[in-house]
Every structure is written in structure tokens, then in C-alpha cells.
């Protein structure tokens, strides 16, 4: 298969660094890694621009209003204006807050959101580290974000924030379990945790078809994981004002938002890779580059997330817990069992 | 054994769900409420006292500031009380009474639309919120046609209404009435029938018939608890005895019932306006009332079925141009009184929803 455009660029860069400039292999690795990290950050920020605009436009569409339409074509320049506004706001830290924790909480969330991107492929081979435990790494890093929410909620010294932080812990740890279980079905079918293997295995059939139940479970769990409506209990603006980020203002608030959108894109990519065939083109439409296909699938997932958020009222925390522990976990476990039996039967038939 | 500590939480006055001026101090055990204490008065403007230093006519516009989402009904309640004090109830022209019914019911629709909207927002259904406001805005367009104002109408007068209906009013109202049933159906689609909404409201903060009567509930909240009582039907004022409409009653008394009862009432209001428009007579819109109103010495208590319950005015006259004493009995003030008992044992999230379901407007609680 023809190599992707991104890989050609990377190869050219490597050659230039080692052969023309005479860097050692380690130095070349370091430089390319740094460049890749920069690319990922840019990719997240570029997504952010589109996502903030899309969220406004979609919510306006669902709510029968126009949304932003004054700044730039169809309000597309709303985002830079927002950035200026956010940067111009005073950075307020409550007097009695645990200042050090307060300051690093949003940053640590951003870092964990960024770390998860190390194993996320943006195309065939376009990946920082195609680890054989890629999926495991993604889940492990993803679950550490819980601590950032708790830090923010606790350090604010605000009761609303504290309750929000506590809710996050309960919610995210509970929903981590069905999320992992739902991915296990796919892992069992492929027999690998490597994301590129998982995509390769979907050449003929996307896993959403044999693993539909798992997909639904994954989708619901990730809504909770990304703290989006109707599971946005950590913010709970109706009862907790804004939950864990009540006291955050200006750029610190913006970092929470960037991290949240970063997570949203990340889980959408994982959904596309695990269930929607990754960068594989459907119906033999291979003339469209794989990266574009992946992007389309990611944005389809994001559209689903937004659709759900702007349609449903918020669920109550104990209902959420019941739903997670008493429904999603048994269902995802049953899915694993059925998948196991299915694989066994398949092997018996095919020998 | 883990040590737990009760948390005292100020729900309001700066809290988004308490409309910015209501404060409730909650004791929380985890997220469950063990005690709630209401604190009101953040919006207190001394309206009753203001009434005593102004002439009867001058106080009409202040009524719009009471329950500011149903201003027209409040004005109506006040002018009715003064008319009763003057003894001119029978002399109000028919056309004026019909116009009052039309604009009053439109205002009730607008008030219930805002109730639905804020209820939706308090369960985080931001989309449904816009639906309610979309319809309220169209109703306000019509009210603006008659009064020139969207919120503080100042349209009712002692003895009639300020101006006759403008050209094109009837067509516009008819068009609106054709549209509203579909809009109400939409409410049911987006929120009422939603499983999450049902889970959040059914069985939440139930108020029994006895409790509702003990606490002096009136209006939709009372009817949601199973008491079939509506002033418009049981003590008809104005020309309400000429219209056919149902008084919806529900038995559960929980948050869901309080929402549904208002949705059903909206449908009934549409019916009333249709009938009033059909029978709208010609004629004058003002009774012959002296320029300077000087009611005889005496006192009067008059009440009206406001969008939120019974709004009563007790006016004492010493024969001068200003009332000696004005006392306003407001439904919101009564309704919010039950909140501490209601909130006990509730989840924090449910308490916010239960508070929204009581349909409080702080302008009327603090007066």
C-alpha cells in the first residue's frame, strides 16, 4: 500500500536531520517527537476552533435560534473573539483556596488529555508510538484525569466545587469500568491491544456490526467520561453553579475547556478506530485519503455527542450510578461472554 | 467507621436556580438535605407601603412589578379590588371585561410558558427552555400590541382598560391560537415524555392533599395535589361564567403533576380565549369613573386566579384619594413556604427541581 503523506513528510524530516545536519539517532528522535507533540497540540487547538463553533451552531440549530452570525462568515470568527475575551479576564483565585493545587489542576488535566494522544493514530502509521498495549495505555491515562477534577474541586474551597469534584470521582470511576469492558469485545476479536492492528482487522467489516451492544455501551460511558450532558453532573450548573470549575476564570477556565474538548476528540477517535473501521474507507471509496475518512468519522461521533447533550435533561447522580453499575456493567460483561462464545464457535466452524 | 460531617450550603441568593434573590440555607448530609431554611427579602421594595402613598390609579403600574412574568393578571386583580371598593363592579362595560379575559388568559399562557421553560432549565434541558421562551415571546408580541409594553403593561384601568384593541389584534391572536396547541405538543415531545425527565420528577417532592391545604396552596399547585378548586369556575369574576372550560386536576401532587397541570391549563386557556374572541362585543371600554377616585370609607378583599394561585388585595379606605392600607396576599409567598418541609430528605438536585416546580417569582414573594 502507498505510504501516507504524513509518513513521507516524517521520513523526509528524519533523513534531513540525520544525513544533512548530522544529528545522532537519539537527537533525531527527540526532535521529531517534539514536532509531533506540537502537531498534536495544534490538531487539538484546530479541532477546538471548529468544535466551539460547531457546538454553538448545533445547539442553536436544536434550539431554533441562529447562533453566532456576526463575526466572520456564519460567525466563524466568534472563536478568536472569545479567546481575546478569555485572555482579557482577570485571573481570580479565591483567598482561602489551596493556591498551588488550584493553579495546577487545570494544567494537569490538559497534560493527561495530551498524554493520551501519544498512542492515538491519525492514519495508518501516523502515530507517535504504536505500542502493543496502546489501548491499555489510553485507558490508563484517561482515568488519571479524575484526579485533576478532584484537585480543582477541592482546591477551590467552594462547597459547590467540592460536591462537583466528588461527583466526578464517583461518576468517572464508575463509568470507566463499562467503557473498558465494552472495548474488550473488540480486543478479543482482534487479539491485540495495538490500535493499528485493530484498524487493520476491520478491512472487511467494521466492528460496530458484530459489537453493536459494545458500541452503545461505549458511547454512553464516554458521555459520562467526558462530562457532557446528560451526564454533566460534575458541572451541574443548575445545582452546583458550575461544579469543579466554579471559581476558575479567564485563561484557567479556558484550559479546562480545551482539555475537555481534547478528551472529546480523543474518545471520538477511539470510537472511530474501535468500532467504525478507523481510517478504512467504506464502500471502496479509497480515492478519499484515509485521514479524511478518520476525520469524518470523528466528527460524526462528535455530532452524536452534541446531539445527545442538547436534547436530554440531566440525569440524577444516584440514577447515574444505578444505571452504570446495575445496567451497563452487566450488559458489557454479557457482551464479553457472548463474544467469547462467538469466537469459540467461529473457530470450531472454520477449524 | 468513617467520620462524616454535615455541610451547610447557601443555595442562593447568588445561585442561578434561585432566580438571584431567593436564599435557602441547606444542611447537607452527603448530597441529601437534612434541613432547609428559607430566607427571603432580597428583593423587598415595600410595594404595600408605596401603595399607601399613592393614589389608587397611580398604583396600577406597580402591580406589574409584583409577579413580573404575569403583570397583566396582577393589574387586573388590583383594579378589580378597587372597583369592588367603589361599588362599580356591575358597571364595567362588557367589551372591557372580554378584553380583560383575553389579555389575562394570554398572560397566563405566557406565565405558564416561562414556567415550563425555567423548569426545563432546572433539569438542564436547555433546548426545551428555548421552546418555552419562543412561544412566550410571541404571546408578548400580542400583549405589546395592546399595551405598548412587553413586561410592565399598565393596561388595566379602574373601570375598564386603557385603550381599545388595535387593528389586526384579533387576527394575530387567532393565528397564535392556531399555533399554540402544536407548540404545547412539542413541550410534551421534548421534555414531558422524556424518560430522564420522568425519572427526575415523578414521585419527587410529593405534596398530599392535606399538606397542600395546610400550607395554603392555591392555584395550579393545589390542583396538582388533587383539590378541585379554581376561582374562575367556583367564584366566577368578570365574565368567566360565560365560558366553557375544564379545570384540570391531578392526584399525585408530585413535581411531575405540577408540571403537567400547567401544560393542561395552557390548553384550557387557549379554549377560553377562542370563546372570548368569538363573542367579543362592541361598545365602550371604560365605565364612567370620576377623574379623582375617592372610594367611600370601608374595606374590601378581592382575589383573582392568577397564573400561580390566588392573588388577593385587601384595601382599607379612609375616604381619601389614597388607600389607608393595602395588603397583598400573594400565591408565591404562600407556595414557597412549603419548601423547607418539602426539601427535607431530598437530593440536592431534586430540591432545585422541586423549587422550580412551585413556580416562584421573587417579585411577589418579597413585594
Amino acid at each position: 500500500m502507498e505510504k501516507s503523506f504524513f509518513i513521507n513528510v516524517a521520513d523526509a524530516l528524519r533523513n534531513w536531520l540525520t544525513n544533512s545536519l548530522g544529528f545522532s539517532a537519539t537527537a533525531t528522535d527527540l526532535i521529531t517527537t517534539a514536532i509531533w507533540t506540537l502537531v498534536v497540540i495544534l490538531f487539538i487547538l484546530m479541532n477546538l476552533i471548529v468544535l466551539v463553533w460547531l457546538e454553538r451552531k448545533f445547539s442553536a440549530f436544536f434550539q431554533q435560534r441562529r447562533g453566532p452570525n456576526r463575526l466572520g462568515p456564519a460567525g466563524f470568527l466568534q472563536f478568536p473573539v472569545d479567546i481575546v475575551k478569555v485572555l482579557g479576564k482577570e485571573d481570580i483565585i479565591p483567598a482561602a483556596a489551596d493556591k498551588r493545587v488550584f493553579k495546577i489542576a487545570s494544567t494537569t488535566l490538559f497534560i493527561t488529555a495530551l498524554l493520551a494522544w501519544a498512542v492515538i493514530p491519525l492514519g495508518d502509521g501516523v502515530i507517535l508510538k504504536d505500542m502493543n498495549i496502546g489501548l491499555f495505555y489510553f485507558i490508563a491515562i484517561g482515568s488519571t484525569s479524575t484526579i485533576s477534577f478532584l484537585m480543582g474541586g477541592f482546591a477551590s474551597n467552594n462547597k459547590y466545587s467540592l460536591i462537583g469534584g466528588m461527583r466526578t470521582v464517583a461518576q468517572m470511576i464508575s463509568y470507566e469500568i463499562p467503557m473498558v469492558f465494552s472495548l474488550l469485545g473488540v480486543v478479543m476479536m482482534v487479539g491485540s491491544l495495538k490500535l493499528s492492528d485493530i484498524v487493520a482487522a476491520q478491512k472487511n467489516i467494521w466492528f460496530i456490526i458484530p459489537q453493536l451492544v459494545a458500541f452503545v455501551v461505549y458511547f454512553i460511558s464516554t458521555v459520562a467520561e467526558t462530562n457532557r450532558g446528560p451526564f454533566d453532573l460534575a458541572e451541574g450548573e443548575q445545582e452546583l453553579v458550575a461544579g469543579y470549575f466554579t471559581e476558575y476564570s479567564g485563561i484557567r477556565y479556558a484550559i479546562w475547556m480545551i482539555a475537555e474538548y481534547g478528551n472529546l476528540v480523543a474518545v471520538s477517535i477511539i470510537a472511530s478506530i474501535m468500532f467504525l473501521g478507523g481510517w478504512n474507507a467504506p464502500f471502496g471509496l479509497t480515492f478519499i485519503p484515509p485521514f479524511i475518512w478518520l476525520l469524518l468519522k470523528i466528527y460524526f461521533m462528535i455530532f452524536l455527542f452534541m446531539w445527545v447533550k442538547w436534547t436530554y435533561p440531566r440525569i440524577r447522580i444516584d440514577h447515574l450510578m444505578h444505571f452504570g453499575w446495575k445496567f451497563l456493567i452487566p450488559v458489557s460483561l454479557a457482551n464479553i461472554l457472548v463474544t467469547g462464545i462467538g469466537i469459540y464457535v467461529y473457530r470450531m466452524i472454520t477449524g | 467507621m468513617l467520620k462524616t460531617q454535615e455541610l451547610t450550603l447557601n443555595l442562593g441568593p447568588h445561585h442561578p436556580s434561585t432566580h438571584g434573590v431567593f436564599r435557602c440555607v441547606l444542611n447537607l448530609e452527603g448530597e441529601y438535605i437534612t434541613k432547609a431554611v428559607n430566607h427571603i427579602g432580597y428583593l423587598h421594595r415595600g410595594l404595600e407601603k408605596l401603595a399607601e402613598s399613592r393614589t389608587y390609579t397611580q398604583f396600577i403600574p406597580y402591580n406589574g412589578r409584583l409577579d413580573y412574568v404575569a403583570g397583566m393578571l396582577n393589574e387586573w386583580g388590583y383594579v378589580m379590588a378597587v372597583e369592588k371598593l367603589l361599588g362599580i363592579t356591575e358597571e364595567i362595560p362588557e367589551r372591557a371585561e372580554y378584553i380583560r379575559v383575553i389579555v389575562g388568559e394570554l398572560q397566563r399562557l405566557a406565565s405558564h410558558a416561562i414556567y415550563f421553560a425555567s423548569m426545563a432549565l432546572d433539569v438542564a434541558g436547555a433546548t426545551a427552555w428555548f421552546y418555552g421562551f419562543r412561544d412566550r415571546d410571541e404571546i408578548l408580541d400580542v400583549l405589546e400590541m395592546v399595551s405598548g409594553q412587553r413586561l410592565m403593561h399598565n393596561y388595566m384601568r379602574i373601570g375598564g382598560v386603557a385603550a381599545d384593541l388595535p387593528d389586526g389584534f384579533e387576527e394575530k391572536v387567532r393565528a397564535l391560537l392556531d399555533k399554540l396547541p402544536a407548540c404545547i405538543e412539542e413541550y410534551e415531545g421534548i421534555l414531558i415524555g422524556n424518560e430522564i425527565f420522568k425519572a427526575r420528577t415523578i414521585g419527587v417532592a410529593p405534596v398530599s392533599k392535606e399538606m397542600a391545604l395546610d400550607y395554603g396552596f392555591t392555584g395550579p399547585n393545589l390542583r396538582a395535589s388533587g383539590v378541585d378548586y379554581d376561582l374562575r369556575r367556583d367564584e366566577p369574576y368578570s365574565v368567566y361564567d360565560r365560558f366553557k372550560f375544564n379545570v384540570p386536576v391531578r392526584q399525585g401532587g408530585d413535581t411531575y403533576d405540577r408540571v403537567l397541570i400547567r401544560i393542561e391549563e395552557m390548553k384550557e386557556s387557549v379554549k377560553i380565549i377562542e370563546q372570548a374572541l368569538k363573542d367579543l362585543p362592541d361598545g365602550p371600554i371604560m365605565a364612567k369613573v370620576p377623574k379623582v377616585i375617592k372610594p367611600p370609607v370601608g374595606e374590601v378583599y378581592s382575589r383573582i386566579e392568577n397564573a400561580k394561585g390566588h392573588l388577593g388585595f385587601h384595601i382599607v379606605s379612609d375616604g381619601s384619594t389614597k388607600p389607608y392600607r393595602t395588603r397583598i396576599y400573594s400565591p408565591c409567598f404562600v407556595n414557597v413556604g412549603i419548601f423547607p418541609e418539602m426539601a427535607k430528605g431530598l437530593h440536592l438536585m431534586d430540591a432545585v427541581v422541586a423549587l422550580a416546580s412551585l413556580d416562584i417569582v421573587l417579585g411577589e414573594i418579597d413585594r
Side-chain angles (χ1 to χ4, degrees):
Chain A
M1 193 189 140
E2 212 182 312
K3 271 188 183 172
S4 130
F5 167 74
F6 296 102
I7 295 177
N8 289 333
V9 172
D11 283 345
L13 185 71
R14 271 173 188 282
N15 279 334
W16 183 61
L17 284 171
T18 38
N19 300 339
S20 309
L21 298 180
F23 279 110
S24 68
T26 324
T28 312
D29 268 354
L30 275 176
I31 293 169
T32 46
T33 306
I35 291 172
W36 176 253
T37 313
L38 206 66
V39 167
V40 165
I41 292 177
L42 277 177
F43 182 71
I44 295 177
L45 292 180
M46 298 276 265
N47 269 304
L48 187 75
I49 296 172
V50 180
L51 281 176
V52 169
W53 180 77
L54 268 186
E55 182 112 358
R56 281 158 181 265
K57 279 292 181 190
F58 277 146
S59 64
F61 172 66
F62 293 130
Q63 295 167 353
Q64 307 185 351
R65 27 180 206 100
R66 287 174 211 280
N69 56 11
R70 285 292 179 272
L71 303 155
F76 203 80
L77 292 180
Q78 183 71 41
F79 181 76
V81 180
D82 282 344
I83 288 289
V84 172
K85 187 185 90 173
V86 156
L87 288 175
K89 281 195 172 178
E90 189 187 354
D91 175 27
I92 301 166
I93 300 176
D98 187 336
K99 292 198 178 58
R100 216 180 322 162
V101 181
F102 185 89
K103 280 179 187 165
I104 60 172
S106 53
T107 320
T108 50
L109 181 67
F110 185 65
I111 290 171
T112 49
L114 207 59
L115 279 175
W117 283 79
V119 292
I120 291 176
L122 298 178
D124 196 4
V126 188
I127 185 168
L128 181 61
K129 192 86 190 109
D130 199 3
M131 276 193 266
N132 52 6
I133 54 155
L135 190 63
F136 178 73
Y137 170 88
F138 174 79
I139 292 162
I141 286 291
S143 53
T144 55
S145 64
T146 314
I147 194 83
S148 303
F149 288 114
L150 186 62
M151 277 160 72
F154 181 78
S156 299
N157 195 24
N158 174 320
K159 285 165 185 171
Y160 295 125
S161 304
L162 182 66
I163 296 174
M166 290 298 182
R167 278 186 184 178
T168 319
V169 175
Q171 174 185 333
M172 291 186 74
I173 290 176
S174 306
Y175 275 76
E176 202 87 8
I177 299 164
M179 188 182 108
V180 174
F181 282 172
S182 66
L183 294 177
L184 275 186
V186 173
V187 173
M188 285 163 74
M189 288 174 78
V190 180
S192 168
L193 288 164
K194 208 172 181 176
L195 293 175
S196 52
D197 287 352
I198 292 168
V199 175
Q202 297 179 79
K203 265 251 124 71
N204 300 319
I205 185 166
W206 294 0
F207 283 140
I208 189 172
I209 295 164
Q211 291 286 327
L212 184 64
V213 177
F215 175 73
V216 173
V217 172
Y218 175 84
F219 181 73
I220 297 172
S221 323
T222 44
V223 172
E225 277 292 297
T226 50
N227 262 316
R228 289 181 68 80
F231 297 161
D232 53 345
L233 292 149
E235 307 174 21
E237 84 192 61
Q238 270 65 37
E239 56 277 353
L240 299 182
V241 188
Y244 60 90
F245 63 80
T246 304
E247 297 291 355
Y248 284 83
S249 63
I251 189 67
R252 289 187 204 284
Y253 163 80
I255 294 173
W256 283 112
M257 290 296 109
I258 294 170
E260 281 207 2
Y261 278 117
N263 277 333
L264 180 66
V265 178
V267 296
S268 300
I269 293 184
I270 291 296
S272 317
I273 286 171
M274 300 296 287
F275 297 104
L276 301 179
W279 49 82
N280 284 323
F283 316 119
L285 297 169
T286 41
F287 64 92
I288 299 169
F291 179 68
I292 302 292
W293 272 118
L294 187 64
L295 215 54
L296 282 176
K297 288 169 187 173
I298 294 167
Y299 271 84
F300 171 71
M301 287 304 297
I302 288 172
F303 171 71
L304 284 186
F305 281 117
M306 288 186 177
W307 189 359
V308 169
K309 174 175 170 129
W310 294 109
T311 306
Y312 289 117
R314 188 180 302 125
I315 196 166
R316 205 169 77 193
I317 182 90
D318 53 332
H319 292 162
L320 184 81
M321 290 291 130
H322 283 289
F323 186 62
W325 287 99
K326 293 184 183 166
F327 182 73
L328 284 187
I329 291 180
V331 166
S332 51
L333 279 173
N335 181 61
I336 291 173
L337 180 74
V338 172
T339 308
I341 294 170
I343 292 170
Y344 184 75
V345 171
Y346 179 76
R347 284 202 188 132
M348 269 208 325
I349 295 167
T350 56
Chain B
M1 183 77 180
L2 274 171
K3 217 174 80 189
T4 59
Q5 195 185 345
E6 246 185 27
L7 188 77
T8 314
L9 186 74
N10 271 301
L11 194 73
H14 58 298
H15 191 277
S17 298
T18 58
H19 308 237
V21 272
F22 174 66
R23 176 176 171 222
C24 190
V25 179
L26 302 173
N27 284 15
L28 292 178
E29 180 82 53
E31 281 200 49
Y32 286 91
I33 296 164
T34 52
K35 193 183 160 200
V37 180
N38 283 351
H39 292 266
I40 60 168
Y42 289 87
L43 192 60
H44 183 69
R45 296 148 296 169
L47 276 179
E48 290 173 0
K49 193 73 198 158
L50 280 169
E52 292 158 22
S53 57
R54 269 148 186 79
T55 65
Y56 288 95
T57 316
Q58 279 173 343
F59 188 62
I60 297 171
Y62 285 86
N63 286 288
R65 276 80 176 166
L66 270 174
D67 173 358
Y68 38 76
V69 299
M72 201 67 101
L73 287 160
N74 293 25
E75 287 172 22
W76 189 5
Y78 174 74
V79 297
M80 239 169 66
V82 179
E83 283 159 6
K84 204 168 162 190
L85 190 62
L86 282 166
I88 56 164
T89 320
E90 298 298 313
E91 291 152 37
I92 315 296
E94 256 196 9
R95 186 173 170 82
E97 291 285 23
Y98 272 82
I99 293 174
R100 283 179 178 186
V101 169
I102 292 168
V103 294
E105 290 302 323
L106 281 171
Q107 184 73 84
R108 190 186 312 277
L109 279 167
S111 172
H112 284 351
I114 214 175
Y115 170 86
F116 169 80
S118 62
M119 184 73 212
L121 197 62
D122 279 349
V123 291
T127 301
W129 186 78
F130 276 97
Y131 283 39
F133 262 81
R134 172 198 65 194
D135 303 335
R136 175 186 149 81
D137 258 2
E138 292 203 10
I139 299 167
L140 290 191
D141 284 345
V142 175
L143 290 179
E144 193 183 358
M145 279 177 85
V146 296
S147 70
Q149 267 273 25
R150 292 182 80 79
L151 207 59
M152 311 292 178
H153 301 290
N154 189 17
Y155 179 62
M156 300 286 176
R157 289 290 178 274
I158 299 161
V161 290
D164 208 339
L165 296 177
D167 292 338
F169 175 83
E170 285 176 43
E171 293 77 55
K172 199 136 188 218
V173 174
R174 285 218 174 83
L176 186 65
L177 293 184
D178 287 342
K179 217 158 87 181
L180 276 175
C183 295
I184 297 168
E185 227 165 81
E186 231 174 15
Y187 296 173
E188 285 162 353
I190 183 93
L191 195 71
I192 309 292
N194 186 288
E195 283 303 321
I196 296 177
F197 182 73
K198 282 185 178 167
R200 288 291 306 275
T201 52
I202 292 180
V204 169
V207 176
S208 66
K209 206 179 207 171
E210 292 72 31
M211 210 166 135
L213 290 169
D214 285 352
Y215 272 92
F217 264 21
T218 49
N221 288 346
L222 180 71
R223 292 192 283 276
S225 292
V227 183
D228 189 5
Y229 187 57
D230 189 320
L231 279 186
R232 291 176 295 173
R233 184 197 61 195
D234 299 320
E235 290 174 34
Y237 52 89
S238 189
V239 284
Y240 271 113
D241 49 352
R242 301 183 195 177
F243 306 123
K244 276 203 192 81
F245 61 97
N246 300 320
V247 176
V249 178
R250 295 188 71 83
Q251 301 303 327
D254 59 7
T255 305
Y256 190 64
D257 281 340
R258 283 193 285 274
V259 180
L260 272 195
I261 203 116
R262 283 171 174 91
I263 300 291
E264 285 166 27
E265 271 189 22
M266 287 178 86
K267 295 174 187 165
E268 297 303 321
S269 287
V270 169
K271 280 190 212 163
I272 296 174
I273 302 169
E274 271 169 359
Q275 296 172 53
L277 265 185
K278 211 178 90 206
D279 304 340
L280 184 66
D282 287 327
I285 49 150
M286 273 295 282
K288 285 208 163 48
V289 182
K291 277 249 157 60
V292 179
I293 289 169
K294 267 189 175 179
V297 178
E299 57 184 298
V300 71
Y301 179 72
S302 161
R303 55 183 183 168
I304 184 174
E305 183 79 32
N306 193 356
K308 292 163 184 68
H310 296 179
L311 176 74
F313 287 88
H314 184 194
I315 306 175
V316 182
S317 162
D318 56 0
S320 72
T321 54
K322 294 169 186 173
Y324 175 73
R325 176 80 177 99
T326 304
R327 162 94 180 103
I328 304 162
Y329 173 94
S330 63
C332 293
F333 178 76
V334 176
N335 290 345
V336 81
I338 204 171
F339 185 65
E341 182 161 344
M342 201 183 229
K344 218 177 281 172
L346 279 186
H347 193 275
L348 175 61
M349 292 177 84
D350 284 345
V352 168
V353 176
L355 183 67
S357 78
L358 289 175
D359 198 5
I360 56 163
V361 167
L362 269 295
E364 200 173 76
I365 291 173
D366 291 345
R367 295 201 288 282

